[in-house]
Amino acid sequence: MYLFTGGAIMVYASVAIVAFLVIVIINYEVLNPKEDHRFIPAFKEYRRFLLGVLLFVVIDFLWGVLDANEIMLWLYVDTVLYFLSMALTVILWTHYVIKVLEDKSWFAILIHFMCQFYAVYIICILIFNFYKPVFFSYNKNNDFYGGMARVVTYEIQIFIYLIISVYTLIKGMSKKGRDGWRYLAVGSFGVEQLICIGIQIYYWAVPVYSIGCLLGTCILHTFVFEDRKMEYQDKLEKLLEINKEQKEELGSAKQAAYKDPLTGVKSKAAYIDVVEKIDQDIKDKKITGMAVAVFDLNGLKKINDTQGHEAGDIYIKNGCMAICKKFAHSPVFRIGGDEFVAILQGSDFEKREELLTTFEDEMEFNLRNGEVVVASGLSIFEPDKDETFSTVFERADKKMYECKNMLKKEVVIY
């Protein structure tokens, strides 16, 4: 058995509380339940391990306080909790490592059963210690005695840390890049812990294991958690950059699709989207003043047949120019070969009759002088009557055909 003198060792407690504060500060992001780091592998296991470490450090701190004040009953209870919480940190660390390695081999199964055996062993030996102090005891002078069962417990912990650390370090050396460095960091934590446990066996009154937990969690935080986060951020930035490029490409493609290549006005694709929005606005009763003007070029087929399609394209451009010039404050769409639509709102809507009259006068002038002729028809949106855009369009389209037929008759007269 090993004898250690009790007494006022508040320095011991001070080391434990400093370890607690440092671990909480550097791992605040991990411990904060509002933070979500599901993108980091084994994050839940890492958080549980940190909570287990903090529990141990708190119990270690209380041991120093209780021992300094010689509160023996609670000191005994705290000592039991000390060994239980230490065992818990070993088990939680093991679960974390297996999750990080994503190992489902026989080795992982073996370690799992080893931890279960160790948990049962530590509970049983501490219960047995109530009846026969084979693990630890305190004498009448409040001096601590460590039994052989305590040494065996530490040796089991060292063995678990050793085999897992060696396995992790070997896997780390076989990996390339950041994964390899992370595995080495996890393995080095185990090596550092087994050294601390070895020292703790012979120096009970020194908080070696708490110091080891502090150093070890700093290693894991810097080289595993932060590195994982940086890697994720790098990937996220690349994905955002790709997404931005795709949006720009999509925007350019959409812009190209929304623009009629011949005339430069809005295309049929743009017209379909606008009509869908107007239909929704009609349904939501957001449309107040709106008119639809429909246009169709007269004589395009004859020009194509007699002068060729190049001359026909020029004719379409001239017709489109005449429409855009007159309805300058309204979006104009080319919805067919020689068909155009203007949706009148705002000032164009207020002046619709005037604009349409002057446009028809110009077309009659063009008809007499052999220039481009565009038939037109206009209809107003009636909130009490029209439930969709198409009903307004159909009335305007009907008026346009009436105008077209009238212009054809005037050709015969002239």
Side-chain angles (χ1 to χ4, degrees):
M1 303 182 80
Y2 299 90
L3 172 64
F4 296 91
T5 305
I9 51 171
M10 289 305 292
V11 173
Y12 185 105
S14 299
V15 171
I17 198 64
V18 168
F20 177 87
L21 292 173
V22 174
I23 292 170
V24 169
I25 290 169
I26 66 171
N27 292 285
Y28 174 76
E29 189 178 355
V30 182
L31 297 169
N32 186 355
K34 294 181 180 178
E35 295 287 343
D36 187 2
H37 294 287
R38 284 175 292 180
F39 57 86
I40 296 178
F43 174 72
K44 287 183 179 179
E45 287 74 13
Y46 181 56
R47 177 184 276 171
R48 291 192 194 110
F49 167 69
L50 284 177
L51 291 172
V53 168
L54 289 175
L55 175 64
F56 170 81
V57 172
V58 169
I59 292 170
D60 203 20
F61 162 75
L62 291 174
W63 187 90
V65 174
L66 294 169
D67 185 61
N69 292 279
E70 299 184 359
I71 307 173
M72 297 313 298
L73 176 61
W74 288 107
L75 181 61
Y76 185 94
V77 173
D78 189 77
T79 305
V80 172
L81 295 175
Y82 173 94
F83 288 108
L84 286 174
S85 60
M86 180 184 283
L88 181 64
T89 61
V90 177
I91 294 168
L92 291 175
W93 181 78
T94 303
H95 289 168
Y96 168 65
V97 174
I98 296 301
K99 191 71 174 181
V100 167
L101 297 177
E102 297 179 343
D103 199 335
K104 297 180 180 178
S105 66
W106 62 268
F107 178 81
I109 297 170
L110 176 64
I111 293 298
H112 178 71
F113 281 114
M114 189 182 296
C115 286
Q116 286 184 330
F117 166 78
Y118 176 60
V120 172
Y121 161 78
I122 193 72
I123 293 170
C124 291
I125 199 69
L126 285 171
I127 292 173
F128 183 76
N129 194 69
F130 283 111
Y131 304 99
K132 187 175 182 180
V134 295
F135 202 105
F136 71 89
S137 64
Y138 289 94
N139 64 15
K140 293 179 180 179
N141 296 321
N142 302 329
D143 295 323
F144 175 86
Y145 286 87
M148 283 304 300
R150 168 180 166 271
V151 177
V152 171
T153 299
Y154 280 144
E155 288 173 346
I156 294 172
Q157 291 178 0
I158 290 173
F159 178 72
I160 293 173
Y161 273 122
L162 179 64
I163 60 172
I164 296 179
S165 297
V166 171
Y167 184 74
T168 307
L169 290 171
I170 291 172
K171 289 203 74 170
M173 287 185 283
S174 66
K175 290 274 185 180
K176 292 182 179 179
R178 301 172 90 159
D179 276 339
W181 285 108
R182 284 193 287 260
Y183 285 6
L184 291 173
V186 172
S188 66
F189 173 88
V191 173
E192 180 260 343
Q193 287 298 90
L194 68 88
I195 292 172
C196 289
I197 293 170
I199 297 171
Q200 191 77 79
I201 293 174
Y202 298 100
Y203 296 95
W204 167 260
V206 180
V208 182
Y209 197 74
S210 285
I211 295 170
C213 286
L214 173 59
L215 295 175
T217 52
C218 287
I219 291 171
L220 292 178
H221 179 81
T222 303
F223 297 102
V224 180
F225 177 77
E226 285 297 326
D227 189 63
R228 282 282 191 187
K229 195 169 71 170
M230 286 176 63
E231 183 182 41
Y232 176 78
Q233 287 173 344
D234 291 342
K235 288 180 180 179
L236 186 61
E237 285 176 6
K238 288 178 182 178
L239 288 173
L240 288 172
E241 188 63 32
I242 293 169
N243 187 49
K244 183 181 176 182
E245 290 174 2
Q246 289 177 339
K247 279 185 177 180
E248 287 175 355
E249 290 174 3
L250 184 63
S252 299
K254 194 173 182 180
Q255 209 169 29
Y258 275 18
K259 186 176 181 180
D260 178 58
L262 178 63
T263 62
V265 297
K266 296 181 184 297
S267 66
K268 188 171 183 178
Y271 172 75
I272 292 169
D273 282 356
V274 169
V275 169
E276 285 181 2
K277 186 179 183 308
I278 290 173
D279 280 341
Q280 186 60 48
D281 287 345
I282 291 172
K283 186 178 179 181
D284 297 339
K285 301 189 184 302
K286 292 181 180 179
I287 297 291
T288 52
M290 181 190 74
V292 178
V294 180
F295 307 92
D296 190 276
L297 276 64
N298 276 23
L300 178 63
K301 186 177 184 304
K302 184 178 179 182
I303 292 172
N304 283 334
D305 292 343
T306 58
Q307 300 178 40
H309 286 280
E310 188 174 339
D313 288 347
I314 295 172
Y315 189 77
I316 291 170
K317 288 180 183 179
N318 290 337
C320 179
M321 193 181 300
I323 297 167
C324 292
K325 185 178 178 181
K326 184 58 59 181
F327 300 92
H329 302 98
S330 301
V332 177
F333 305 84
R334 185 186 178 200
I335 63 170
D338 58 354
E339 297 174 84
F340 294 85
V341 173
I343 300 175
L344 279 59
Q345 292 177 319
S347 60
D348 279 2
F349 175 75
E350 299 297 331
K351 299 177 181 178
R352 61 189 179 279
E353 297 295 341
E354 179 186 340
L355 292 173
L356 187 63
T357 299
T358 55
F359 183 78
E360 289 175 345
D361 291 342
E362 286 179 14
M363 292 304 107
E364 287 184 7
F365 175 84
N366 289 354
L367 181 63
R368 291 193 295 269
N369 291 277
E371 296 180 17
V372 63
V373 178
V374 182
S376 59
L378 185 143
S379 180
I380 305 169
F381 169 70
E382 300 175 22
D384 298 334
K385 181 179 179 182
D386 299 320
E387 294 182 357
T388 61
F389 177 89
S390 63
T391 55
V392 189
F393 174 87
E394 287 168 6
R395 290 199 302 271
D397 193 50
K398 184 178 179 181
K399 289 180 181 179
M400 182 275 294
Y401 274 106
E402 291 172 359
C403 176
K404 192 176 185 71
N405 292 330
M406 183 186 71
L407 290 170
K408 285 180 180 179
K409 290 176 183 179
E410 290 189 17
V411 171
V412 176
I413 295 173
Y414 289 112

